[in-house]
Amino acid sequence: MASRSISIVVPALNEELNLEGTVQEIHAEISKHFDDYEVLVIDDGSTDRTGAIADALAKADPRVRAFHNDGNKGLGASYFRGVAEASKEYVVMVPGDRENSLEGMAPLWPLLGTADIIAPYTANPEVRPWSRQVFSRFGTFTMNTAFGLGLRYYNGTVVHRLATLRTIEVKSTGFLYQAESLIRLIRRGATVKEVGITIRARPGG
């Protein structure tokens, strides 16, 4: 088991069907790889029971902390609120919709320390709707063309060293927050190691 520590940021918008399962899976899987971790649930202005579930999870386990945005701020804003609150050596985002299998993310953890950034790509894109696959491929091609890079994916569960991530200012509050983070860090000379992970179809919500 690794001695390094990690903060898991869980953005959640109207995820009452999925949030508890996401956090339970984090506990089950992350504890296999890390002695020290925390779960930061960011309720992004949900109008269902997501906020109440987040509070209950935090009350039940001191490793979980719940935060509530005043209205819907966006995925990027929620992520960076978690980054601001994080206290561990590394940080990663796990969405509250249970699309990302924590077991499927296992290839990430042995690579910590081998590069500044561990960037995943989806090894089984066929589980996503066709329209999203096309959008993702087009977005990746556009980013690589515009910025002269060759990444296989610009979003998802990227693992950053917290101190390094905090050296940049990211303006995007929406879906492109991770792409902007990667571009800014790589331009500063950060090294990247890519690895395939498996995801699953969104259970509901």
Side-chain angles (χ1 to χ4, degrees), residues 33-169:
H33 305 278
F34 295 87
D35 295 309
D36 185 13
Y37 70 92
E38 64 182 353
V39 182
L40 309 173
V41 180
I42 315 297
D43 165 31
D44 192 22
S46 299
T47 56
D48 63 2
R49 295 181 57 252
T50 296
I53 293 169
D55 288 337
L57 291 168
K59 185 176 180 180
D61 193 318
R63 294 170 297 186
V64 179
R65 291 191 281 155
F67 303 90
H68 305 276
N69 289 342
D70 181 18
N72 178 217
K73 303 297 184 183
L75 181 60
S78 295
Y79 172 74
F80 279 104
R81 181 167 186 185
V83 169
E85 298 289 349
S87 64
K88 307 304 180 183
E89 183 180 4
Y90 292 93
V91 63
V92 65
M93 186 277 293
V94 173
D97 62 7
R98 296 199 73 191
E99 181 181 64
N100 286 85
S101 162
L102 269 294
E103 186 177 3
M105 290 169 60
L108 293 169
W109 317 132
L111 297 178
L112 266 63
T114 63
D116 299 317
I117 302 164
I118 309 302
Y121 60 88
T122 303
N124 59 332
E126 66 277 2
V127 304
R128 285 178 166 165
W130 177 84
S131 58
R132 187 169 178 185
Q133 293 182 50
V134 172
F135 177 80
S136 179
R137 290 173 183 171
F138 177 75
T140 299
F141 172 80
T142 301
M143 287 291 185
N144 282 333
T145 301
F147 296 100
L149 301 176
L151 295 181
R152 298 183 67 164
Y153 195 51
Y154 277 86
N155 293 298
T157 54
V158 179
V159 184
H160 291 277
R161 190 181 296 275
L162 180 61
T164 303
L165 183 59
R166 284 177 170 171
T167 64
I168 60 170
E169 180 181 356

Side-chain angles (χ1 to χ4, degrees), residues 4-40:
R4 293 163 293 201
S5 63
I6 193 164
S7 298
I8 301 98
V9 179
V10 184
L13 172 62
N14 295 334
E15 294 293 353
E16 64 178 11
L17 298 178
N18 299 309
L19 180 57
E20 184 173 2
T22 297
V23 174
Q24 288 175 346
E25 189 174 1
I26 288 171
H27 286 311
E29 291 296 326
I30 293 296
S31 62
K32 297 177 183 178
H33 305 278
F34 295 87
D35 295 309
D36 185 13
Y37 70 92
E38 64 182 353
V39 182
L40 309 173

